[in-house]
């Protein structure tokens, strides 16, 4: 049965870009441990020679004709943005000051 | 009979004949919503948004078309409740999340477009567990919906709002989405009909993704024929969804009409041995056994089938789903739409992203994102995600073997009836078990449905009969569902919902004012 430490939970939260409060980390550590213990049952199944399924039904790649189509008007897309400037999404700084 | 008690098929025919106008029908349902849906703290709370003006305008268009002598579709003028995970250009789409509160999508989903083209009147958007993750609607950022059979109990989830709107007679039709049971489990616990079509049968374009390889939208209704009529409106190939099936939709309406003859002779029904026993409520098992006996009486040949890997479907699902969720929900990055917090000019994009996601996602969304991040991380990928994908293959093979012996499979839809609000909200493993019987069909992509099959003796709450059919054999669900429905109607002297308690009228708000977001 896997066991997951509070430090690992904090690391996962950083990977997932989730700013979690200390009490949330504590609570989640216990719950994730419990859930992982339950889902680890899949490892009991002998399946070495079984191919994995990523998708319910077999899929083939689909191409469409290379013809221009109208896209959404920029105004209607930017209307839903948290911030926009000069017809573009305005975002916080991406690089640190020292970069 | 009041308009809100009629079936969608009856309403459409009355509108077509001119007996009643589409505007009158829509107004009757808006009045009913005003009567029973609020307040959010104690009413049914099926709706997050009701758009009175655009509903009445859409109904008026249908009336005008009729006056002009235009041909009306089979559901023209009939009101519908749309799950708030499907985009609507003229209404907010929240997915039950604070992250998308007030978001107005720039486009209509394919489902939305098809509903509008069919003259169906969209009344508003229904409540759900955040990003369709849950079995009770308690994970909605805007508060839970309530089960019209008992307002202290859950209406199922994630599509509890859609199911509750039907059971409360606020709408005769609704749209749900089903990733692990979110159409079928709410249908079971509210005494309504819910169908998960074959994966790829209904376009996902404009459906906010939970787990893309499992998500499937479908019809919810109070009768089997109504569900079939709605299914045929929304189904079919869509070039905007690369997983959409480019094949003709089976004639499900004809199957529903045929099933209503009540003759199932020649049909082989497989009872799945593994879906029952320990953990199943006695009243659920009793009603299920009655339903199996009924299927025999209607002429079906009942056999027992074994699907040994179904026991591993739930754990495999809770690895595959969170993995896909952690990836899909990465798009909520506070940059292009939705909530943004902490953008004070000093914080970086990454800090703003983490702050926003930490504050914007609810507890269950965070749990699943974290679980998926873990399952996909190096060192665990093969043991968890990779192994779960192999189990998925074995579940599909179990179905193939079972469908060689039977035309449809049956089980209870859920192990228990509706439980009290609050009972399992912080016990994820107990909550996940609600989807024990429904998850295998999502993993294998085949069609499944839940039909009302009576009330459990111990609590008087609805039980659902789960019917599973092979990929692209959705029509079999409707044949079986309609046959069972007519037999029960004869036995009960009407539909199961007629036995539901009447809801107290809480008339107060005007039905003609736009109520906006009622959270």
């Amino acid at each position: 049965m896997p066991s997951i430490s509070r430090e690992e939970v904090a690391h996962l939260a950083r990977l997932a870009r989730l700013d979690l409060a200390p009490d949330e980390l504590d609570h989640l550590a216990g719950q994730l441990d419990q859930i992982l213990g339950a889902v680890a049952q899949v490892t009991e199944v002998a399946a070495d020679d079984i191919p994995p399924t990523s998708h319910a039904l077999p899929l083939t790649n689909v191409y469409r004709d290379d013809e221009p189509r109208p896209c959404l008007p920029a105004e209607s897309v930017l209307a839903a943005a948290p911030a926009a400037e000069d017809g573009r999404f305005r975002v916080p700084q991406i690089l640190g000051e020292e970069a | 009979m009041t308009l809100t008690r009629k079936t969608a098929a009856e309403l459409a025919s009355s509108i077509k004949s001119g007996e009643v106008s589409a505007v009158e029908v829509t107004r009757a349902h808006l009045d009913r919503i005003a009567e029973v849906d609020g307040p959010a703290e104690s009413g049914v709370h099926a709706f997050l948004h009701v758009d009175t003006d655009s509903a009445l305008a859409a109904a008026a268009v249908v009336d005008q078309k009729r006056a002009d002598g235009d041909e009306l579709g089979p559901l023209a003028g009939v009101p519908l409740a749309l799950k708030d995970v499907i985009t609507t250009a003229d209404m907010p789409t929240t997915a039950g999340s604070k992250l998308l509160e007030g978001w107005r999508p720039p486009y209509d989903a394919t489902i939305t477009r098809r509903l509008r083209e069919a003259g169906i009147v969209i009344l508003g958007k229904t409540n759900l567990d955040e990003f369709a993750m849950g079995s009770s609607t308690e994970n909605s950022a805007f508060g839970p919906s309530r089960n019209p059979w008992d307002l202290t109990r859950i209406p199922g989830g994630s599509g509890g709002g859609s199911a509750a709107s039907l059971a409360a007679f606020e709408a005769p039709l609704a749209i749900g989405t089903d990733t692990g049971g979110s159409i079928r489990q709410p249908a079971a616990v509210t005494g309504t009909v819910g169908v998960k079509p074959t994966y790829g049968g209904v376009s996902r374009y404009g459906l906010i993704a939970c787990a893309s390889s499992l998500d499937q939208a479908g019809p919810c209704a109070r009768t089997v024929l109504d569900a079939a009529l709605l299914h045929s409106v929304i189904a079919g190939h869509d070039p905007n969804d690369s997983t959409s099936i480019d094949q003709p939709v089976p004639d499900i309406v004809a199957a529903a009409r045929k099933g209503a003859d009540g003759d199932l002779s020649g049909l082989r029904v497989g009872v799945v041995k593994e879906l029952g026993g320990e953990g199943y409520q006695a009243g659920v098992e009793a009603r299920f056994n009655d339903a199996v006996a009924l299927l025999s009486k209607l002429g079906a040949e009942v056999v027992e089938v074994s699907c040994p890997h179904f026991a591993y479907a739930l754990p495999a699902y809770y690895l595959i789903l969170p993995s896909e969720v952690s990836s899909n929900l990465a798009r909520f990055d506070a940059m292009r739409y939705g909530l943004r917090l902490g953008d004070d000019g000093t914080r970086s994009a990454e800090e703003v992203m983490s702050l926003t996601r930490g504050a914007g996602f609810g507890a269950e969304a965070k749990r699943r994102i974290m679980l998926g991040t873990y399952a996909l991380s190096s060192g665990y990928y093969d043991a968890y995600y990779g192994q779960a994908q192999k189990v998925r293959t074995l579940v599909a093979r179990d179905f193939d073997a079972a469908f060689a012996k039977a035309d449809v499979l049956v089980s209870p839809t859920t192990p228990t009836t509706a439980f009290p609000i609050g009972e399992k909200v912080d016990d994820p493993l107990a909550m996940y078990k609600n989807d024990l019987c429904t998850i295998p069909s999502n993993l294998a992509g085949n069609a499944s449905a839940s039909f009302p099959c009576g009330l459990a003796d111990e609590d008087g709450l609805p039980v659902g009969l789960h019917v599973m059919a092979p990929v692209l054999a959705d029509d079999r669900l409707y044949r079986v569902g309609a046959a069972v429905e007519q037999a029960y109607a004869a036995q009960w002297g009407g539909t199961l919902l007629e036995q539901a308690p009447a809801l107290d009228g809480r008339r107060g708000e005007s039905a003609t004012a736009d109520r906006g977001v009622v959270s």
Side-chain angles (χ1 to χ4, degrees):
Chain A
M1 170 155 166
S3 131
I4 182 162
S5 68
R6 192 178 184 282
E7 288 65 39
E8 278 180 283
V9 174
H11 176 64
L12 288 173
R14 276 193 299 278
L15 291 176
R17 305 288 186 270
L18 286 172
D19 187 58
L20 299 181
D23 61 325
E24 278 185 292
L25 287 174
D26 292 334
H27 197 59
L28 266 175
Q31 286 187 335
L32 289 180
D33 212 42
Q34 192 196 3
I35 297 167
L36 286 168
V39 298
Q41 280 178 66
V42 296
T43 59
E44 295 166 9
V45 182
D48 284 349
D49 55 343
I50 303 297
T53 296
S54 63
H55 214 268
L57 303 179
L59 285 178
T60 48
N61 202 5
V62 179
Y63 294 98
R64 68 171 168 89
D65 294 335
D66 188 17
E67 287 162 0
R69 284 192 206 160
C71 60
L72 294 170
E75 317 82 72
S76 71
V77 173
L78 290 170
E85 200 175 295
D86 297 336
R88 298 182 177 87
F89 294 106
R90 194 188 69 71
V91 300
Q93 56 172 319
I94 291 168
L95 303 172
E97 279 179 16
E98 64 275 19
Chain B
M1 196 199 271
T2 58
L3 291 173
T4 52
R5 293 258 160 185
K6 288 181 183 282
T7 70
E10 288 166 349
L11 289 170
S13 128
S14 301
I15 291 167
K16 198 171 282 189
S17 71
E19 196 186 311
V20 64
S21 73
V23 166
E24 286 170 301
V25 169
T26 295
R27 207 179 282 283
H29 287 87
L30 290 167
D31 286 347
R32 175 70 177 170
I33 293 169
E35 195 180 342
V36 302
D37 206 58
E41 298 72 35
S42 57
V44 175
H45 194 223
F47 286 89
L48 293 176
H49 182 85
V50 176
D51 197 334
T52 300
D53 292 344
S54 81
L56 289 170
V61 168
V62 172
D63 288 335
Q64 187 58 52
K65 278 191 175 165
R66 186 186 172 273
D68 293 345
D70 292 358
E71 184 66 29
L72 296 182
L75 290 174
V78 178
L80 173 138
L82 185 60
K83 191 177 181 184
D84 200 23
V85 73
I86 289 165
T87 58
T88 42
D90 58 348
M91 283 179 243
T93 302
T94 68
S97 180
K98 262 196 279 185
L99 273 172
L100 284 180
E101 190 168 6
W103 180 55
R104 295 239 169 199
Y107 68 106
D108 271 347
T110 297
I111 291 174
T112 308
R113 179 173 58 77
R114 289 195 172 156
L115 293 172
R116 294 192 207 275
E117 286 169 359
I120 291 172
V121 174
I122 301 172
L123 295 171
K125 307 296 286 288
T126 56
N127 197 18
L128 67 156
D129 289 291
E130 185 177 14
F131 293 109
M133 297 190 286
S135 306
S136 69
T137 70
E138 290 166 291
N139 297 328
S140 168
F142 309 112
S145 300
R146 292 174 192 80
N147 193 323
W149 287 81
D150 176 350
L151 293 174
T152 68
R153 290 174 188 264
I154 59 107
S158 66
S162 286
S165 74
L166 300 172
F169 297 94
E170 296 173 308
L173 297 172
I175 294 290
T177 63
D178 191 310
T179 306
S182 288
I183 288 176
R184 292 163 287 161
Q185 182 255 4
V189 300
T190 57
T192 58
V193 174
V195 178
K196 182 200 89 71
T198 296
Y199 180 85
V202 175
S203 170
R204 292 186 297 112
Y205 180 71
L207 160 59
I208 298 174
C210 174
S212 308
S213 81
L214 305 163
D215 294 343
Q216 182 56 210
C220 310
R222 287 192 294 259
T223 71
V224 176
L225 177 63
D226 285 0
L229 291 166
L230 180 57
H231 190 152
S232 63
V233 167
I234 58 174
H237 181 244
D238 177 15
N240 283 336
D241 173 359
S242 62
T243 61
S244 166
I245 296 172
D246 194 1
Q247 283 186 48
V249 180
D251 194 346
I252 47 195
V253 174
R257 294 195 195 279
K258 182 178 175 217
D261 294 345
D263 180 9
L264 292 180
S265 50
L267 186 87
R268 295 169 304 159
V269 174
V271 177
V272 183
K273 188 170 90 173
E274 286 80 6
L275 299 178
E278 197 194 327
Y280 289 73
Q281 189 177 320
V284 168
E285 294 217 288
R287 289 298 82 79
F288 173 68
N289 293 335
D290 292 351
V292 172
L294 175 62
L295 289 166
S296 276
K297 207 177 125 201
L298 295 173
E301 180 198 338
V302 176
V303 295
E304 187 181 80
V305 296
S306 174
C307 295
H309 296 96
F310 279 18
Y312 298 98
L314 185 78
Y317 176 86
Y318 276 100
L319 287 161
I320 291 168
L321 175 133
S323 299
E324 294 192 27
V325 159
S326 69
S327 164
N328 271 328
L329 297 192
R331 65 168 58 88
F332 299 101
D333 57 5
M335 300 299 139
R336 293 156 299 161
Y337 35 69
L339 188 69
R340 178 187 291 180
L341 297 174
D343 183 12
D344 58 2
T346 69
R347 289 195 179 91
S348 69
E350 194 178 317
E351 287 167 323
V352 167
M353 199 184 294
S354 293
L355 269 177
T356 304
R357 288 164 60 83
F361 284 123
E364 181 64 15
K366 288 176 186 171
R367 265 194 294 268
R368 296 200 191 186
I369 291 170
M370 297 281 283
L371 202 55
T373 307
Y374 179 86
L376 292 178
S377 56
S378 65
Y380 301 106
Y381 182 92
D382 288 340
Y384 289 109
Y385 184 67
Q387 180 74 3
Q389 287 187 309
K390 292 178 173 186
V391 170
R392 189 170 184 178
T393 306
L394 292 168
V395 168
R397 288 182 182 177
D398 279 2
F399 267 121
D400 290 345
F403 284 131
K405 292 183 190 147
D407 302 306
V408 295
L409 308 180
V410 292
S411 74
T413 307
T414 63
T416 71
T417 55
F419 47 88
I421 290 173
E423 190 179 274
K424 300 178 183 178
V425 72
D426 199 36
D427 187 352
L429 283 180
M431 192 67 97
Y432 297 168
K433 286 185 180 145
N434 283 297
D435 295 334
L436 214 51
C437 306
T438 47
I439 277 172
S441 290
N442 297 89
L443 292 175
N446 61 298
S448 288
S450 180
F451 304 106
C453 67
L455 303 176
D457 295 325
E458 57 270 47
D459 53 22
L461 291 167
V463 176
L465 170 66
H466 189 220
V467 183
M468 297 162 267
V471 165
L472 286 173
D474 306 40
D475 51 329
R476 293 184 199 170
L477 304 175
Y478 288 98
R479 183 181 169 207
V480 174
V484 165
E485 179 182 60
Q486 64 79 35
Y488 279 131
Q491 190 179 317
W492 300 331
T495 68
L496 190 64
L497 276 170
E498 282 163 36
Q499 300 175 45
L503 293 164
D504 295 342
R506 264 181 297 268
R507 186 171 291 281
E509 289 165 279
S510 162
T512 49
D514 188 341
R515 295 166 67 230
V517 175
V518 288
S519 56

